């Protein structure tokens, strides 16, 4: 079974992903893939540098992710240009890894951890969608604390994604990560019981 795992920035999706993996779910992480395809020497990195300029590269040749994030989050047209370069390669590698997990174990639950799953229109590729949720004020506070952002910067990043309430409404399953770690673990266990009973 292939499921899509998503949420908003700073909702705790990585925590839920680790809990799922510890319980035997095969994880395909879009963020890891996105980093790998942008390593020095990769053709996508050269394409990004050609489009945006060499100032978005670090001295050692990698992408300056922080600078790029600042550049695109309040510029939708620039974000779309970056996505047009990198998303096709990321999607292809997600599909390859999911297929490989399913071929190795047809009974496995494979979770594709994709932050922008809905924004990218990928929900139809998965049998069920799990959204990791916290209310927007909690999301905003966590994001400012985690990344050292001002309220304006944090709002800009949240506004660059589909609103978390919309994601929650569209989900097949919701993990509410606003409570204690123990409450989150219980919800993950219940989710897996439900998925494995299908």
């Amino acid at each position: 079974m292939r499921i899509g795992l998503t949420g908003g920035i700073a909702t705790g999706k990585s925590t839920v992903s680790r809990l799922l993996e510890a319980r035997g779910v095969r994880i395909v992480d879009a963020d890891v893939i996105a980093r790998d395809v942008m390593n020095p020497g990769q053709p996508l990195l050269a394409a990004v540098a050609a489009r945006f300029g060499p100032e978005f590269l670090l001295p050692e040749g990698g992408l300056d992710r922080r600078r790029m994030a600042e550049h695109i989050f309040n510029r939708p047209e620039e974000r779309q240009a970056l996505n047009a370069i990198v998303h096709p390669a990321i999607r292809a590698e997600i599909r390859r890894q999911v297929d490989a997990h399913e071929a190795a174990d047809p009974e496995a639950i494979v979770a594709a951890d994709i932050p922008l799953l809905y924004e990218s229109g990928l929900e139809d590729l998965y049998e069920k969608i799990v959204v990791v949720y916290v209310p927007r004020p909690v999301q905003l506070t966590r994001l400012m604390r985690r990344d050292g952002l001002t309220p304006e910067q944090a709002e800009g990043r949240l506004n660059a994604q589909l609103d978390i309430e919309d994601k929650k409404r569209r989900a097949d399953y919701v993990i509410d990560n606003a409570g204690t770690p123990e409450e989150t673990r219980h919800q993950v266990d219940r989710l897996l019981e439900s998925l494995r009973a299908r």
Side-chain angles (χ1 to χ4, degrees):
M1 173 189 295
R2 55 179 66 189
I3 64 172
L5 176 66
T6 193
I9 189 169
T11 58
K13 187 173 51 56
S14 297
T15 298
V16 171
S17 182
R18 285 191 297 272
L19 290 169
L20 289 168
E21 188 169 36
R23 288 153 173 78
V25 174
R26 313 288 176 88
I27 301 294
V28 175
D29 190 328
D31 281 343
V32 171
I33 293 169
R35 282 193 294 274
D36 288 347
V37 300
M38 297 296 278
N39 281 334
Q42 293 293 326
L44 281 184
L45 183 61
V48 168
R51 165 61 177 78
F52 291 92
E55 64 270 23
F56 288 95
L57 298 181
L58 296 167
E60 63 272 16
L63 180 68
D64 187 337
R65 295 176 189 285
R66 190 170 187 90
R67 184 170 191 168
M68 183 60 78
E70 287 297 326
H71 179 72
I72 67 170
F73 269 114
N74 291 310
R75 296 179 178 92
E77 68 290 344
E78 292 290 270
R79 187 167 65 250
Q80 288 166 4
L82 179 65
N83 291 345
I85 296 170
V86 300
H87 279 187
I90 294 169
R91 288 176 191 150
E93 180 59 16
I94 290 170
R95 189 171 299 115
R96 188 197 69 75
Q97 290 188 23
V98 169
D99 289 346
H101 282 304
E102 289 186 331
D105 180 4
E107 300 302 311
I109 296 174
V110 183
D113 180 343
I114 307 175
L116 300 178
L117 184 141
Y118 287 119
E119 293 88 340
S120 302
L122 301 178
E123 59 268 32
D124 290 342
L125 299 178
Y126 302 95
E127 295 171 61
K128 297 292 178 184
I129 306 297
V130 179
V131 167
V132 182
Y133 169 84
V134 297
R136 186 179 172 105
V138 174
Q139 191 182 12
L140 190 65
T141 300
R142 287 182 180 178
L143 180 58
M144 288 189 295
R145 187 169 56 230
R146 187 189 78 185
D147 292 357
L149 301 177
T150 66
E152 295 76 21
Q153 290 171 319
E155 285 282 0
R157 296 201 180 186
L158 292 189
N159 291 338
Q161 297 185 348
L162 185 66
D163 185 78
I164 192 63
E165 298 297 335
D166 289 335
K167 292 184 181 188
K168 180 182 179 183
R169 278 191 292 274
R170 295 170 66 177
D172 296 300
Y173 298 95
V174 174
I175 302 290
D176 187 329
N177 195 34
T180 67
E182 187 64 23
E183 288 169 336
T184 299
R185 284 194 293 272
H186 283 315
Q187 291 177 73
V188 169
D189 288 336
R190 289 196 298 272
L191 167 67
L192 288 177
E193 285 172 14
S194 176
L195 292 174
R196 286 173 173 147
R198 293 181 71 246

